[in-house]
Amino acid sequence: MDAIAGESYEIATMYPEFLSTANTADIPLALTTLNYAFRTEQRHKALYEKALAALQANQVNTLSSDYYVCPTCGNTYDATPPKRCRVSMTSSDRMQKISAV
Ligand SMILES: [Fe+2]
């Protein structure tokens, strides 16, 4: 629950403020990077919520044992990723596969 709360804060408060500051300062690279992080944190929150729901329902075995992380933006997929990352358009060939032990 703490992880979900942390992601919620980042999505609702932290990244919107960072994006506003970068926009005001007119720093396009910062805007791109922060937008990647903002969108990726939304995905992370959803994955945490999914894991918590599975845990509470005693259905952890329904969760994926393989995750794919985009090296560009950190977006995470709990199934085979699309050909290009939905956030950064990075090729799925570059995704790092993380498997449960
Ligand atoms: Fe990405």
Side-chain angles (χ1 to χ4, degrees):
M1 288 191 223
D2 286 348
I4 294 171
E7 300 290 16
S8 296
Y9 164 75
E10 292 173 0
I11 293 165
T13 304
M14 191 178 85
Y15 280 111
E17 289 177 2
F18 288 171
L19 284 161
S20 178
T21 299
N23 188 47
T24 299
D26 192 24
I27 307 172
L29 184 56
L31 274 170
T32 298
T33 300
L34 291 167
N35 191 46
Y36 283 173
F38 177 64
R39 294 179 62 195
T40 293
E41 297 301 355
Q42 293 171 347
R43 179 67 182 140
H44 292 168
K45 179 177 179 270
L47 289 171
Y48 282 134
E49 289 170 338
K50 184 177 181 179
L52 180 60
L55 185 63
Q56 290 173 334
N58 199 24
Q59 295 179 335
V60 173
N61 61 339
T62 63
L63 296 171
S64 176
S65 59
D66 296 326
Y67 291 83
Y68 300 84
V69 179
C70 175
T72 303
C73 71
N75 195 12
T76 305
Y77 300 86
D78 61 350
T80 301
K83 287 192 178 292
R84 294 210 171 265
C85 176
R86 293 186 188 110
V87 173
S88 66
M89 299 302 293
T90 299
S91 171
S92 63
D93 296 347
R94 298 185 54 217
M95 303 268 175
Q96 181 173 0
K97 182 178 180 181
I98 308 291
S99 298
V101 178

